[in-house]
Amino acid sequence: LGYVHLGESHRGQLGTGTVAWREFFQALKEVDYRGPLTFESFSNTVVAPYCVDALCVWRNLWEDSDELASGARQFISNEWDSLAC
């Protein structure tokens, strides 16, 4: 496993949907994963209009990309750091 791409169940901010993140991060720790973690989210406000239908981005889940990125980074760090080594 060399790359992990994260996304929430509703494509919004990490930790606000139904993904079992604690178990997910625990599994990564158990296999001693040390590779990159990336995050992807969609909101119809920031996606080009011609892509909204093609990507099925029907909702406006966020508007501030910097806030979204900061929140994702903090969530990932908190989840990772809260697990026993």
Side-chain angles (χ1 to χ4, degrees):
L1 182 64
Y3 170 81
V4 174
H5 192 108
L6 308 172
E8 189 53 81
S9 58
H10 53 48
R11 296 179 163 176
Q13 183 63 266
L14 294 179
T16 61
T18 60
V19 174
W21 291 112
R22 177 67 37 135
E23 293 82 357
F24 175 81
F25 284 106
Q26 185 63 48
L28 291 179
K29 284 262 186 170
E30 287 173 8
V31 299
D32 196 30
Y33 180 73
R34 296 173 189 225
L37 298 171
T38 63
F39 166 62
E40 180 176 71
S41 179
F42 294 104
S43 178
N44 66 12
T45 299
V46 298
V47 175
Y50 64 89
C51 291
V52 170
D53 289 334
L55 295 172
C56 299
V57 182
W58 306 294
R59 295 170 289 170
N60 176 21
L61 298 174
W62 51 270
E63 294 180 9
D64 186 330
S65 297
D66 290 334
E67 183 179 302
L68 177 78
S70 295
R73 182 179 174 101
Q74 188 64 50
F75 178 81
I76 292 167
S77 293
N78 289 347
E79 288 295 313
W80 191 260
D81 293 344
S82 72
L83 298 173
C85 296

